[in-house]
Amino acid sequence: MAPTTAHSGSVPAYTEHVTRVLVEDREHEGIGTIAVLTFAPPEGESRPATLGPQSLENVDSAFTEALARAEAGEIQAIALTGTGRVFLAGADLSMFADPAGRETVDPMTHRAHDLQVRMRGAAVPVLAHLNGAALGGGLEVALMADIRTAGPTVRGIGLPETSLGILPGWGGTTLLQSVIDPADAVRVILEDPARDKQLSASAAHELGIVEALVEDLDAALDHLAGRIADGGIDPSARPDPIPAAGSDRARTLLDALDAPHSPAETRRAWAERMEAAGAPSLKRTLGILEALPGSSLEQSLAAERQAIVGLADSDAAAGSLYAAELLRRGKPGRRPVEGAREIRRVGVAGAGLMASQIAAQLALGLQVPVTLRDLDEDIARKGLAHARDVIAQAASRGKLDEQSARSVSELLSATADVADLADCDLVLEAVPEVLAIKKSVLGELEGVLDPSALLVTNTSSLSVAAMSEDLAHPERVVGLHFFNPVAKMPLVEVVRTERTDPAVLATGHEVVRRCGKFAVESADAPGFIVNRLLFRVLSEVLRSADQGADLAAVDASLDPFGLPMRPFELLDLVGIGVADHVGKVLGEQLGTERFPVSTGLTRLLDSGEAGTMRDRSQVHPQVSDALRAAFSGGTSKGGSAAVGDALLDRVLRGLAEETGLMLDEGVVERPEQIDLAMILGAGYPRHRGGLTPYLDQTGVSREVVGAPFHGDRFTR
């Protein structure tokens, strides 16, 4: 393809929003004078307080002064707290994106470690009251205290660094195990980030990270006074935070490193697998934890420092931090979408598995009546029952209380009569993925709905323009492609045609927002975003399979990419019939050179069998006999079929080509839209930045489309 220019320029130079440390003395009859240090954002700003170089210097200065006053006997305690809903949000992640900012990581880490050591020598008790979120470096600052309290409703406590390509390097890796059970500490540091799990105050209290749940700082100081009175805090005899070699705590810690991560692998094996897939932070963190017993605080902090400095400059950190920023900016907003119409009643045409899931999501999100309609009354009733079951499952997971679940369930109804949808403001079709059927359904709906009502399609690959071309008002049609399972998948592709009315498009975005989903907008093009790129990958995989390559080798070829599952497992998840249909549609519309039709896949569909066999003792499902039989007629018996690195290279080159075409065709405006969609809709690895940063880092984008997608941001 013709050379193109970068679609995203270099990262702007890092500008720090400097956190202030407000100092005041408070008197407490049970303690005496307390120096209260409050972390606050820049004056006039509502953003969370974070730690950049100048911010950490401010913290250091305030702590140093408080320590000196304690030594002089001027104060009897030190208390740390924050403002609003944030205690301290940790390191300012935007500095990691700027090479000049990354150069500050080493001196900042040295300063944070110096504070950890000096605060452990404080002449008076130190309290950290978590009035709000304490993440990453924020929690590490709280670990400088003798005890921690938290407000009962506080959320957002944890150490998410390993999910950002780095590690808790300001004392968290070393010290958390000294505060809570070492096995719990290993889970919080290694596994919680991978699951996007943060702790609530009650969960942190249960683990022992916080000692008490109290309403405010005054109550926290009362708790501190009680602990001082009962002799629970002795500043002159703080315990060594490092477990002795051979001790019970050491054995618990080491056992936790080799405990199961899943039925198929231990945490250590998982960390090694992730390192092989380009994400080294877990293994580096595990190594520091393993070396803790019998070491010293200074030795372990030095190991943290060496590790975080190296990781901060890694491709994995660059991709992870880019992905984190995409997710932060793309999350559903709190304000309604400008220009959106009011939706008071919704219909869903179809009552199958997907339709009933979407109906439940719409009822939960919009809180308006939702009617499922199917020609078959029995199917309509079953769809209604399934939709209500989805809501009950949400209640069982704590997403809403039982009374709310009953109220939402009562909003759902079912019918076989299309006339019952006549007063709906929006009707979404979720009927079989056949163009003629969808056109028929939309035509029928147009005959009963008000001309201002929205017609929405949940198609995953068909042309929205084609299915609306015979309508009197095609401008009222928009695509909302929900992903299966609807309750768990956070992405909805919002698909516009050239004729979609702006208010209709805005309303589509508003529906997605109210459902609590991420919206990524796409032009009406074959496969939209996620399926087009997924099937470009599968097309290359199936090409090798059809050419007779060893199927197990083909399946393992993409492991270095770090995808959430291997290709043949993905085929089973998508459904062999759906994959065969979508593959053929894309081949017809985009050409069989890029999307060849797989004869082996068609034979597998005819067999009615799955392509893989699940074995809980294996990380990845194994290739099935049915798959081997379906592809046994391969043409080259592996002679010229790409496998291993050669297949991975073909896949990456294909993805670069397809991404370039999608940008040039206006399917999306920016590569960031592609990355957000692939992270949320296909589980593409965050340490790769989704897709396009990885293509830039490997040089594939420059080779294939003539320039990196992000300028020089991810190139070296």
Side-chain angles (χ1 to χ4, degrees):
M1 60 185 295
T4 187
T5 56
H7 290 266
S8 292
S10 301
V11 179
Y14 168 60
T15 301
E16 182 176 358
H17 295 261
V18 180
T19 292
R20 300 172 294 155
V21 184
L22 311 178
V23 182
E24 68 166 331
D25 286 354
R26 288 200 188 186
E27 298 298 325
H28 190 286
E29 63 180 4
I31 301 174
T33 303
I34 304 158
V36 177
L37 281 57
T38 302
F39 308 114
E43 191 168 0
E45 294 189 16
S46 59
R47 71 190 312 275
T50 56
L51 294 174
Q54 184 59 53
S55 302
L56 189 58
E57 184 175 330
N58 290 350
V59 171
D60 190 345
S61 297
F63 281 25
T64 298
E65 181 181 353
L67 289 171
R69 294 183 67 200
E71 194 67 33
E74 297 176 14
I75 57 174
Q76 285 70 54
I78 299 170
L80 314 176
T81 193
T83 58
R85 294 186 296 176
V86 177
F87 170 75
L88 191 56
D92 185 351
L93 298 181
S94 59
M95 70 181 176
F96 288 93
D98 179 10
R102 290 197 297 272
E103 291 176 1
T104 68
V105 172
D106 187 29
M108 287 181 66
T109 302
H110 176 69
R111 173 167 263 159
H113 287 169
D114 180 63
L115 277 175
Q116 288 284 7
V117 173
R118 288 194 291 130
M119 291 297 284
R120 295 193 68 79
V124 298
V126 181
L127 162 75
H129 174 61
L130 309 187
N131 60 293
L135 290 168
L139 181 55
E140 288 172 302
V141 168
L143 290 175
M144 297 177 186
D146 294 300
I147 63 170
R148 284 151 297 282
T149 59
T153 61
V154 166
R155 306 187 68 83
I157 300 171
L159 297 170
E161 285 93 338
T162 53
S163 69
L164 299 172
I166 51 177
L167 53 72
W170 290 357
T173 302
T174 297
L175 294 172
L176 186 62
Q177 56 75 35
S178 70
V179 172
I180 63 176
D181 185 282
D184 291 331
V186 170
R187 191 198 75 238
V188 169
I189 293 170
L190 295 182
E191 291 184 330
D192 283 2
R195 295 166 179 157
D196 285 333
K197 181 180 179 181
Q198 297 174 359
L199 300 172
S200 64
S202 58
H205 181 234
E206 185 175 342
L207 289 176
I209 294 175
V210 299
E211 212 176 79
L213 301 181
V214 296
E215 289 297 331
D216 52 27
L217 180 60
D218 288 336
L221 294 176
D222 290 341
H223 176 78
L224 175 63
R227 294 283 276 112
I228 294 172
D230 67 18
I233 301 176
D234 183 358
S236 66
R238 291 184 174 93
D240 185 350
I242 306 300
S247 65
D248 289 345
R249 291 190 68 83
R251 282 191 291 271
T252 300
L253 174 66
L254 297 177
D255 287 347
L257 300 180
D258 287 300
H261 170 66
S262 72
E265 64 184 345
T266 65
R267 287 170 175 154
R268 187 184 303 276
W270 168 53
E272 291 171 349
R273 178 168 61 84
M274 292 305 297
E275 182 182 48
S281 62
L282 289 168
K283 189 174 180 182
R284 292 294 298 272
T285 308
L286 189 146
I288 293 170
L289 291 167
E290 188 170 32
L292 262 176
S295 68
S296 67
L297 176 60
E298 290 76 12
Q299 287 173 327
S300 188
L301 292 179
E304 281 189 7
R305 179 180 174 187
Q306 182 182 30
I308 195 171
V309 169
L311 289 170
D313 199 38
S314 68
D315 286 346
S320 298
L321 292 161
Y322 164 84
E325 183 65 10
L326 285 184
L327 293 165
R328 185 187 70 80
R329 292 184 177 182
K331 67 182 179 182
R334 296 180 180 178
R335 297 179 180 178
V337 176
E338 186 176 352
R341 297 176 184 171
E342 183 181 4
I343 301 297
R344 295 160 297 185
R345 190 175 190 89
V346 171
V348 175
L353 181 62
M354 196 67 184
S356 57
Q357 291 182 79
I358 294 172
Q361 191 69 50
L362 293 171
L364 284 164
L366 301 181
Q367 297 285 307
V368 300
V370 178
T371 302
L372 283 151
R373 186 258 175 166
D374 196 278
L375 291 170
D376 186 310
E377 291 186 0
D378 186 50
I379 292 176
R381 284 194 296 270
K382 289 179 179 178
L384 175 61
H386 183 252
R388 287 176 171 166
D389 185 54
V390 169
I391 292 166
Q393 290 174 23
S396 69
R397 295 192 302 270
K399 300 294 184 182
L400 69 168
D401 59 43
E402 291 187 8
Q403 178 56 48
S404 297
R406 283 194 294 270
S407 298
V408 174
S409 290
E410 290 171 0
L411 292 171
L412 289 161
S413 61
T415 184
D417 188 350
V418 70
D420 290 337
L421 305 181
D423 59 350
C424 290
D425 303 298
L426 179 154
V427 178
L428 180 145
E429 71 76 17
V431 298
E433 195 77 350
V434 178
L435 182 60
I437 295 176
K438 289 183 180 289
K439 291 183 73 169
S440 174
V441 168
L442 292 180
E444 181 186 33
L445 291 170
E446 188 173 50
V448 300
L449 293 175
D450 185 90
S452 65
L454 274 69
L455 287 172
V456 179
T457 173
N458 183 54
T459 182
S460 60
S461 61
L462 298 176
S463 168
V464 179
M467 71 177 65
S468 59
E469 63 186 359
D470 296 332
L471 298 177
H473 296 284
E475 71 279 358
R476 65 155 102 183
V477 180
V478 67
L480 295 183
H481 177 211
F482 287 82
F483 288 73
N484 188 29
V486 175
K488 293 183 179 180
M489 295 298 285
L491 176 69
V492 178
E493 291 176 323
V494 180
V495 184
R496 69 184 188 280
T497 72
E498 292 183 356
R499 303 178 72 174
T500 301
D501 183 273
V504 170
L505 183 61
T507 306
H509 278 280
E510 174 65 5
V511 168
V512 175
R513 184 194 73 83
R514 290 177 62 184
C515 286
K517 304 289 189 183
F518 289 74
V520 177
E521 189 173 317
S522 169
D524 182 27
F528 312 133
I529 303 169
V530 174
N531 278 340
R532 181 166 172 174
L533 291 168
L534 275 184
F535 278 86
R536 187 65 196 264
V537 173
L538 291 174
S539 292
E540 295 298 342
V541 168
L542 293 171
R543 191 196 307 268
S544 285
D546 279 319
Q547 290 174 347
D550 179 81
L551 296 179
V554 167
D555 205 28
S557 293
L558 307 189
D559 285 359
F561 192 169
L563 299 175
M565 62 185 66
R566 286 179 171 174
F568 294 131
E569 181 184 6
L570 175 61
L571 280 174
D572 282 342
L573 179 67
V574 170
I576 304 302
V578 171
D580 184 66
H581 171 73
V582 173
K584 289 174 178 174
V585 168
L586 292 175
E588 291 171 2
Q589 297 181 347
L590 297 174
T592 55
E593 183 178 343
R594 298 189 344 254
F595 294 90
V597 175
S598 170
T599 55
L601 184 63
T602 301
R603 286 193 292 269
L604 181 64
L605 175 62
D606 292 341
S607 76
E609 301 291 334
T612 60
M613 301 176 295
R614 169 60 68 183
D615 181 345
R616 287 179 60 82
S617 68
Q618 300 288 326
V619 173
H620 302 289
Q622 303 303 295
V623 171
S624 70
D625 291 339
L627 188 74
R628 297 185 192 280
F631 285 92
S632 61
T635 57
S636 69
K637 297 301 178 186
S640 63
V643 294
D645 290 344
L647 178 54
L648 176 60
D649 182 65
R650 279 179 56 168
V651 165
L652 294 180
R653 295 177 74 85
L655 286 169
E657 179 185 28
E658 212 61 40
T659 297
L661 289 169
M662 292 166 69
L663 288 163
D664 291 344
E665 294 165 4
V667 177
V668 292
E669 296 179 356
R670 305 179 311 280
E672 289 86 352
Q673 293 170 273
I674 286 175
D675 295 320
L676 184 60
M678 297 309 289
I679 290 168
L680 296 173
Y684 269 37
R686 297 184 192 181
H687 69 272
R688 299 299 193 191
L691 175 59
T692 63
Y694 183 44
L695 297 176
D696 285 358
Q697 289 167 347
T698 56
V700 172
S701 54
R702 184 182 296 279
E703 292 176 12
V704 175
V705 303
F709 292 114
H710 298 274
D712 61 1
R713 176 172 182 178
F714 297 106
T715 59
R716 292 180 182 270

